[in-house]
């Protein structure tokens, strides 16, 4: 580090361990049991981190390039003159967070103990199994870094107290170390007696900087390296949450409780609030006023995955059927009956929890109340006792008041020259024969009600009549692509079982039929149009599976030009690359949504195909975009087939419309995801499947009350795969607080990153990327500065103090900033950037977490007898070793990295070849070797792949060979290959920002 | 000396020509005063089993503006090996091949009996016949089934190397690709969108892709057949395939809601058919055969909307200008017809439905291209089935009775000019010295295109005498006319048939008797009728009738013998005696009367009237009535109500209908079953006789007439009663109950009244 003064993170608090919920305003009574509900029983702090050694030690770390502000391009310089007002307006424009204008330090009094004290949860017991010997010994202060100047503090000592003043009497500090705290080697048992607990981590500059950040811009001084081990580790956070929660039952009975991390496996029991699998919030405690929200600049958002997959050991959603009467709803705000409705007057009326309107209970729904004012049938009715459930919708909820038809799947295969030549057409046709047996169906039904249809196309479209009574399929060519239409009705969409022989006949013939085709040109918009018209004509919703591979250059609507211009990168016009080329696609998407036509696109491009344009309809219709660059049969077919199978089988709802209702005082203002908005409140989706999440941002329009909290009800009206119209309701109650500390305590970093990623990726369409990056950095700094100012105990300005709930926000934010979408380089194809942008827009929290912080597992230390995954390690090159084999997965790609000195027995076991040199890296599937290493490794890969929406393509990478460059892009804690700073550098940068803000 | 009747008959048999006047007036004024224009009915391809075609090319006059063909009327100088053109008097050298010519060694074209001669032209590769079926699928199930069977049957009648294509239409239009194995493939078009020829060809992939760089294969021409052959295949290759394809044809699958007509895209289907042939086989003989079971209800060329509650236009609507789609649709089909004609293809329409199918709007397609028009109630009737089969009938040489892409050129000697033609033809707009400025029918040209031509097709060709009254043609001369018909024979050969005729000029003043005697009243009646019908297409009905009456009166004034103002004294010579009667029946005929006929029916009748030969045309004008009785052999009787007697069986042939009518007594006998008793076998024979005769007519007639078997008091007897001259009606009661005939309940005037009026007007000096 070239900064004058090396930042060191000081141990936060005496023991560093901040409880997950761990911040309480001093001087206030504990706000009630809910806050510590989980703490008391089993909550444990994160494992403490080793206290860093003296600076000279860490300066030897070779892989970290020196941090230099002058070379830093991706962040605004802390001393930049960008005014706050300017920033605010930018923020407003890009939807990140328009509280920006309130960035000035709050006008409240100096942060005193009363407002800044934080509560320390019990320290977390260390998890020896996840620790690398030598890399993570467990010093007590988990999240603090000390600069050299702070060296007087030896590991087992008190934290360098940033909290002067007496310990608040009511601090929720749990003095007794838990039994688990019999720590591993090197863990000093010390934290027992810290009076004033402080949450979060602190970074301080050695000796403090009297001049504050201004001096940081001074002449570079010889700098000492910050020990990467001393900065907050995502792995540690993940593992500690896992350690405390795994295998437990998480009941959603309390308002505003913070769920386990997405990376933690536990059983969730619905006791009145929606499972975090369905809804996750950026914070579970909303600020009471918009001023507070502005002050903190923490986005208030919920990431809703209405159709999330539920593990088999959790209860599936109950179906409520009120027959003709339909769902019971509030007369005023139309909220659906839910646990938040308060029954009064002996059960004759109920008060809506959302709008407070008092409604009569419909006669058929009447029930007496018990002594605590609860209906006698409380536990018999899902809608009274559960957070999530479904209603059977009545005809009023159907299009044209007619019950919907079961959906249809239409397979549309590009049969132009390249697809024939690379064998894709044959592959698809072969695969469809088996995969069609597994069309989605209701659990209780024998066969699927989904009908299927087939279209092939190049620059004209071929429809197929596969009516069951035909001996041969019939092909109908539509050449009028300028105004495409459906040439047949009867026989196009058929029941697979009935027409099986004709369909198989067709699938056998398609590859032959076009075998001699040398048509290179394709159309695209007319293909979607045709599918949509077919569904419209059949009066049913459905999904188009389009297998496409080239830029549609044939003369037709939606014709695209090759406009890939690398010169635009890093200019203000870069956004153009992400915008669709033709307006056709936008209006087409609108039509598709209006007719419940979801488009899923399988792209196999060999060159630029303009993903930004082609992907628009899939994005807006709730479909999925799959991309296989330069598809090669032997490398990509497995991944492709897995994706295809998975996509056909996955749980899905059609013709959906989502409405998020909130209790008074706040409302949903912005939506991100695979949706189409015709108005400001209803998110329309042609279809929504189990992997699609919608991120909803909330804003205040009034004060919120701490007593009633904040309620969210998400209702999705949709058509099932069997053609039933249903309403899926998710309810969630959040806390409200007028204390900023409560807010910071209840934040969820994974959800925050999801929100930031989506809002930033949405903004790239309209804003220069540089501005977006600046805003992201500024907002990160602002959130942390606000905490520092208002919640943390006073400490040296040189200290970086992070709230416990946001401890790892910087590393994730850094990864987001380094993502190729936000940081363009000519080496990265424009299509890839557009693709990743689109991908992230519909991601749920679990997927975005993995995407921005890949999972890196050591394989060489594998315990072949265990079925659990080995402990992950941090994504940094320093964590790799020449003797090791590592597996990295980010949800799209999987890498198996082989160190140059990989143990031969492992190589033999996994690849069945004698040495590393014999390993053929040209494979995407590990050989099936009977060796336990191979079996375990393949099992692990299977587990990682499970539940992920995209099939990950495996790449074998040998250390020090060219493909390693690709692999290294995923080591997100390191300095990026194509720019983008390392985690430590970023932390320093943020710290400088904070310092500047504080001054 | 032979009578004029024999002369006329002889000429007709040899040349297929009947002139209204066989001696021509020598000046224009005289000609106009003779009322009936100088005109002829020409049957260009009249079957001549005794005339083998000659296998060489005709010798042309070398004058570029003339180019008449050497014929028996030319003067030949055998010694100098020169011949003089009888049209322009140019002296021409014989070609080298004629070196051996002499008085005793004459080429056929110089012999008088070869005034009509046919040459086979060897130039150019023979191109196969092309049949493109355009099939409506919005039919009832049994109708479609019957049609499919007929189509399958027709495949077996086609010559093996003929190309066939199939287009089906309903709400969409499908062009079926016939070459593919396995999956049957078709190109589908929206039925509502009008496409230009280029668009159609692009969409069907008929235009060669613009590949500028293709040095590998320079043999571009080879590509052509492969492109077009996707849709048009030799029948021997795809016989089975197409039979299966036809067998699998389904009714149009789009649902037809209650109270709606099926959406039928006839206009687009035809347009695509035309575009397909235009792009692949221009100027090659081809038939587009449209089979439709209802009116076009959408897209360009729609005739009626799909709401059943709005009926299709009637004559009443048209008169009230209430037929909102008519003009636009007509325009669409006219545009198509003209394009088709320009390409030398023809369009047939086979319309079978109980209601109208839009023939009024579509009539120009067959009319301008020489195609057939067939109208029936259902495809599942013998009327359609046999008519359709008859299209593929063969002549004595085993060739189809159809010719394609014909052009008819008329050359006249200087004293004559050609004023126009009426028939299944379009003008080629060839102006020349022999083209008159006055038009009668389709004029302003000396050449016409007749894309589809069969041996009975007959054109009316109208002439004008050039010479002014003060410079009449000298006596003793002869005027000559040469008809040259280039056409593609059904054996795919190109042929030229040349007919050269000449008639004497006569001075009207001095030789009126001659001229009168040479009047062919039958030909004249048909020629006048064609003019009348031609006018009726564009003028109001009553105007045409008035015009026709005036012409008749003027003729009677000119050629009748009478004393002024004395109707009783009026007489007409034999050669004119039948003419007024023809006109009487023509006035009552469906060609000029639209009452009781739908616009479609009128179009249908007029279509056939404009193309049949003289005999058939006369039957149409004045149906033939035969009477069968025990009193003697069958005899033709007057088309008069007095012929309807109780003990007679009547057989009426109106061309479109064959009616057998049993008199009251006969019907009673039959009811009593006498015909089954051995002792009344003669009665059985009597009943059988008209049936046999009717069969004979049915065998030869195209299109198949409607066959009606009825009896006294039967509802279908109206067909007979509406045709006969109402000499007895409820108004002249004296005949009531007598054995002299059957009264007709009508207010129409009878022939007697008509004639009385005519006489009165003819002798009147007022007009």
């Amino acid at each position: 580090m070239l900064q004058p003064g090396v930042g060191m993170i000081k141990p936060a608090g005496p023991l560093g361990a901040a409880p997950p919920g761990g911040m309480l305003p001093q001087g206030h009574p504990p706000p009630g049991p809910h806050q510590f509900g989980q703490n008391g029983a089993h909550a444990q702090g994160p494992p403490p981190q080793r206290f860093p050694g003296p600076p000279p030690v860490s300066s030897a770390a070779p892989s970290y390039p020196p941090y230099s502000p002058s070379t830093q391009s991706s962040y605004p310089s802390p001393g930049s003159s960008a005014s706050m007002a300017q920033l605010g307006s930018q923020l407003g424009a890009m939807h990140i967070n328009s509280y920006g204008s309130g960035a000035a330090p709050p006008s409240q009094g100096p942060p005193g103990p009363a407002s800044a004290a934080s509560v320390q949860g019990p320290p977390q017991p260390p998890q020896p199994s996840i620790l690398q010997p030598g890399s993570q010994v467990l010093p007590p202060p988990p999240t603090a870094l000390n600069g050299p100047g702070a060296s007087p503090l030896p590991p087992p000592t008190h934290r360098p107290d940033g909290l002067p003043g007496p310990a608040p009497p009511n601090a929720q500090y749990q003095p007794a170390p838990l039994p688990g705290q019999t720590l591993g080697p090197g863990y000093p048992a010390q934290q027992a007696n810290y009076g004033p607990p402080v949450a979060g981590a602190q970074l301080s500059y050695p000796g403090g900087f009297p001049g504050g950040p201004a001096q940081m811009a001074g002449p570079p001084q010889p700098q000492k390296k910050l020990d990467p081990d001393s900065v907050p580790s995502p792995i540690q956070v993940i593992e500690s949450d896992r350690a405390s929660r795994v295998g437990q039952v998480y009941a959603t009975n309390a308002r505003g409780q913070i769920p386990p991390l997405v990376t933690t496996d536990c059983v969730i029991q619905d006791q009145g609030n929606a499972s975090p699998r369905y809804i996750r919030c950026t914070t579970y405690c909303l600020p009471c006023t918009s001023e507070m929200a502005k002050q903190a600049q923490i986005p208030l958002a919920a990431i809703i995955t209405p159709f999330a997959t539920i593990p088999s050991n959790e209860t599936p959603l109950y179906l409520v059927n009120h027959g003709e009467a339909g769902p019971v709803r509030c007369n005023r705000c139309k909220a659906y009956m839910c646990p938040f409705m308060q029954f009064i007057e002996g059960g004759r009326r109920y008060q809506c929890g959302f709008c407070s309107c008092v409604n009569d209970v419909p006669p058929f729904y009447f029930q007496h109340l018990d002594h605590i004012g609860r209906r006698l049938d409380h536990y018999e009715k899902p809608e009274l006792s559960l957070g999530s459930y479904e209603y059977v919708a009545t005809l009023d909820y159907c299009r044209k008041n007619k019950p919907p038809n079961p959906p249809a799947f239409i397979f549309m295969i590009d049969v132009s020259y390249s697809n024939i030549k690379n064998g894709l057409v044959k592959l698809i046709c072969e695969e469809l024969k088996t995969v069609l047996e597994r069309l989605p169906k209701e659990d209780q039904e024998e066969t699927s009600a989904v009908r299927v249809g087939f279209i092939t196309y190049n620059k004209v479209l071929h429809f197929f009549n596969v009516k069951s009574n035909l001996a041969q399929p019939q092909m109908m060519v539509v050449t009028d692509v300028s105004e495409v239409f459906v040439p047949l009705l009867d026989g196009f969409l058929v029941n697979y079982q009935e027409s099986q022989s004709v369909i198989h006949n067709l699938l056998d013939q398609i590859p032959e039929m076009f075998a001699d085709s040398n048509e290179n040109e394709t159309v695209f918009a007319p293909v979607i149009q045709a599918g949509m018209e077919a569904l419209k004509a059949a009066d049913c919703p459905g999904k188009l599976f389009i297998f496409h591979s080239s830029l549609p250059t044939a003369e037709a609507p939606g014709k695209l030009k090759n406009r890939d211009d690398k010169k635009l990168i890093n200019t203000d016009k870069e956004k153009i690359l992400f915008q669709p080329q033709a307006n056709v696609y936008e209006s087409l998407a609108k039509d598709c949504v209006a007719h419940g036509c979801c488009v899923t696109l399988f792209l196999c491009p060999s060159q630029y195909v303009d993903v930004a344009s082609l992907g628009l309809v899939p994005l807006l219709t709730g479909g999925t975009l799959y991309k296989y660059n330069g598809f090669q049969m032997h490398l990509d077919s497995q991944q492709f087939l897995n994706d295809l199978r998975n996509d056909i089988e996955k749980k899905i709802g059609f013709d959906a419309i989502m409405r998020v209702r909130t209790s008074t005082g706040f409302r949903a203002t912005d939506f991100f995801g695979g949706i189409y908005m015709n108005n400001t409140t209803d998110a329309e989706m042609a279809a929504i499947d189990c992997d699609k999440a919608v991120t909803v941002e909330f804003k205040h329009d009034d004060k919120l009350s701490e007593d009633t909290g904040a309620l969210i009800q998400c209702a999705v009206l949709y058509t099932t795969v069997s053609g039933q119209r249903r309403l899926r309701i998710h309810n969630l109650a959040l806390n409200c607080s007028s204390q900023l500390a409560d807010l910071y305590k209840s934040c969820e970093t994974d959800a925050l990153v999801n929100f930031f990623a989506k809002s930033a990726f949405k903004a790239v369409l309209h804003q220069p990327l540089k501005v977006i990056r600046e805003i992201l950095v500024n907002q990160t700094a602002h959130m942390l500065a606000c905490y520092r100012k208002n919640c943390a105990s006073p400490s040296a300005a040189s200290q970086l103090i992070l709230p416990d709930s946001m401890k790892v926000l910087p590393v994730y934010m850094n990864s987001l900033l380094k993502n190729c979408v936000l940081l363009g380089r000519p080496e990265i194809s424009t299509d890839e950037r557009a693709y990743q942008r689109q991908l992230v827009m519909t991601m749920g929290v679990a997927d975005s977490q993995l995407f921005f912080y890949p999972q890196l597992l050591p394989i060489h230390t594998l315990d072949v007898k265990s079925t659990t995954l080995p402990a992950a390690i941090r994504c940094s090159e320093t964590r790799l070793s020449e003797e090791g084999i590592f597996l990295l997965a980010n949800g799209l790609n999987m890498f198996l990295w082989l160190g140059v000195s990989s143990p031969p027995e492992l190589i033999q076991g996994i690849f069945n070849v004698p040495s590393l040199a014999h390993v053929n890296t040209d494979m995407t599937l590990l050989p099936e070797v009977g060796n336990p290493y191979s079996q375990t490794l393949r099992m692990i890969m299977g587990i990682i792949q499970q539940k992920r929406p995209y099939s990950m393509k495996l790449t074998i990478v040998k250390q020090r060979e060219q493909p390693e460059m690709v692999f290294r892009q995923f080591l997100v804690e390191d300095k990026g290959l194509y720019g983008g700073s390392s985690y430590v550098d970023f932390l320093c940068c943020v710290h400088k920002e904070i310092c500047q803000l504080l001054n | 000396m032979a009578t004029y009747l024999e002369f006329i008959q002889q000429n007709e048999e040899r040349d297929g020509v009947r002139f209204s006047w066989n001696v021509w007036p020598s000046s224009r004024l005289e000609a106009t005063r003779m009322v009936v224009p100088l005109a002829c009915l020409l049957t260009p391809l009249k079957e001549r089993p005794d005339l083998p075609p000659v296998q060489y090319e005709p010798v042309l006059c070398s004058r570029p503006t003339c180019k008449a063909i050497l014929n028996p009327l030319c003067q030949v100088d055998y010694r100098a090996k020169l011949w003089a053109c009888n049209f322009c008097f140019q002296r021409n050298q014989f070609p080298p091949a004629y070196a051996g010519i002499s008085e005793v060694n004459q080429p056929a074209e110089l012999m008088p009996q070869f005034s009509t001669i046919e040459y086979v032209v060897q130039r150019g590769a023979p191109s196969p016949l092309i049949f493109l079926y355009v099939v409506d699928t919005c039919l009832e199930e049994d109708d479609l089934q019957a049609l499919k069977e007929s189509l399958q049957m027709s495949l077996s009648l086609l010559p093996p190397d003929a190309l066939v294509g199939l287009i089906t239409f309903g709400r969409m239009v499908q062009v079926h690709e016939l070459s593919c194995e396995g999956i049957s493939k078709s190109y589908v078009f929206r039925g509502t969108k009008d496409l230009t020829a280029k668009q159609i060809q692009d969409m069907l992939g008929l235009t060669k892709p613009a590949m500028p760089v293709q040095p590998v294969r320079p043999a571009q021409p080879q590509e052509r057949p492969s492109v077009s052959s996707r849709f048009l295949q030799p029948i021997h290759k795809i016989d089975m395939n197409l039979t299966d394809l036809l067998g699998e044809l389904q009714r149009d699958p789009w649902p037809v809601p209650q109270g709606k007509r099926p959406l039928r895209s006839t206009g687009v289907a035809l347009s695509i058919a035309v575009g397909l042939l235009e792009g692949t086989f221009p100027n090659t003989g081809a038939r587009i055969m449209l089979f439709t079971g209802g009116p076009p209800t959408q897209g360009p060329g729609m005739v009626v909307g799909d709401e059943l509650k709005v009926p299709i236009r009637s004559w009443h609507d048209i008169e009230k200008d209430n037929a909102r789609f008519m003009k636009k649709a007509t325009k669409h089909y006219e545009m198509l017809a003209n394009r088709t004609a320009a390409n030398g293809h023809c369009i047939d329409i086979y319309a079978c439905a109980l209601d109208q199918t839009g023939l009024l709007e579509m009539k120009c397609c067959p009319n301008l291209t020489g195609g057939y028009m067939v109208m029936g109630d259902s495809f599942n009737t013998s009327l359609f089935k046999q008519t359709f089969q008859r299209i593929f009938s063969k002549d004595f040489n085993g060739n189809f009775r159809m010719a394609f892409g014909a052009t008819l050129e008329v050359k006249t000697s200087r004293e004559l000019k050609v004023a126009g033609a009426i028939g299944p033809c379009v003008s080629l707009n060839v102006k020349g010295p022999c083209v008159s400025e006055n038009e009668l029918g389709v004029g302003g040209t000396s050449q016409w295109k007749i894309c589809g031509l069969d041996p009975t097709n007959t054109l009316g060709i109208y002439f004008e005498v050039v010479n002014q009254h003060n410079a009449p043609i000298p006596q003793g001369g002869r005027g000559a006319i040469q008809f040259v018909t280039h056409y593609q024979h059904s054996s795919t050969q190109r042929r030229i048939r040349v007919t050269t005729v000449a008639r004497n000029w006569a001075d009207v003043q001095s030789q009126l008797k001659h001229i009168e005697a040479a009047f062919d009243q039958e030909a004249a009646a048909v020629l006048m009728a064609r003019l009348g019908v031609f006018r009726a297409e564009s003028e109001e009905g009553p105007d045409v009738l008035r015009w026709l009456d005036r012409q008749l009166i003027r003729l009677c004034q000119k050629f009748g013998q009478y004393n002024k103002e004395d109707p009783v004294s009026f007489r007409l010579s034999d050669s004119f005696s039948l003419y007024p009667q023809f006109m009487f029946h023509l006035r009552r005929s469906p060609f000029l009367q639209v009452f009781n006929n739908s616009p479609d029916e009128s179009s249908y009748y007029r279509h056939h009237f404009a193309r049949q030969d003289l005999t058939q045309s006369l039957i149409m004008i004045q149906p033939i009535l035969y009477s069968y009785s025990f009193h003697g052999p069958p005899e033709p009787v007057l088309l008069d109500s007095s012929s309807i007697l109780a003990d007679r069986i009547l057989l009426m042939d109106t061309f479109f209908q064959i009616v057998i009518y049993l008199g009251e007594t006969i019907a009673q006998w039959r009811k009593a079953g006498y015909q089954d008793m051995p002792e009344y076998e003669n009665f059985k024979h009597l009943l059988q006789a008209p049936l046999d005769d009717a069969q004979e007519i049915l065998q030869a007639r195209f299109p198949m007439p409607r066959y009606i078997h009825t009896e006294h008091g039967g509802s279908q007897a109206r067909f007979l009663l509406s045709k006969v001259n109402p000499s007895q009606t409820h108004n002249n009661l004296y005949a009531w109950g007598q054995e002299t005939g059957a009264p007709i309940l009508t207010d129409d005037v009878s022939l007697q009244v008509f004639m009385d009026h005519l006489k009165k007007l003819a002798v009147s000096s007022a007009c």
Side-chain angles (χ1 to χ4, degrees), chain B residues 46 189 355:
Chain B
K46 187 175 170 56
F189 294 83
D355 197 359

Side-chain angles (χ1 to χ4, degrees), chain A residues 602-652:
Chain A
F602 291 82
L603 267 181
C604 300
S606 52
Q607 55 199 4
Y608 178 74
V609 293
D610 200 346
V611 169
S613 300
L614 297 189
L616 187 71
V617 180
L619 176 66
L620 297 183
T621 60
T624 313
L625 173 63
Y626 299 91
K627 185 158 84 75
Y628 313 91
N629 288 330
F631 182 89
Q632 280 179 287
M633 188 56 82
H634 64 289
L635 293 181
D636 302 282
S637 60
Q638 204 52 47
Q639 188 197 4
F640 169 78
L641 292 180
N642 288 341
D643 281 336
L644 176 58
R645 286 174 199 146
N646 181 32
D647 200 274
I648 288 179
E649 290 172 34
K650 71 164 90 169
K651 288 245 183 298
I652 186 167

Side-chain angles (χ1 to χ4, degrees), chain B residues 66-83:
Chain B
C66 176
K67 287 200 171 169
I69 291 170
L70 180 61
N71 61 72
L73 302 176
C74 294
Q75 283 195 339
V76 179
D77 181 341
Y78 292 103
R79 287 223 316 269
K81 309 274 188 255
L82 289 174
W83 63 279

Side-chain angles (χ1 to χ4, degrees), chain B residues 572-583:
Chain B
L572 273 174
S573 68
D574 282 352
S575 57
F576 288 88
S577 57
L578 294 174
Y579 188 83
Q581 193 180 330
F582 288 141
M583 290 298 120

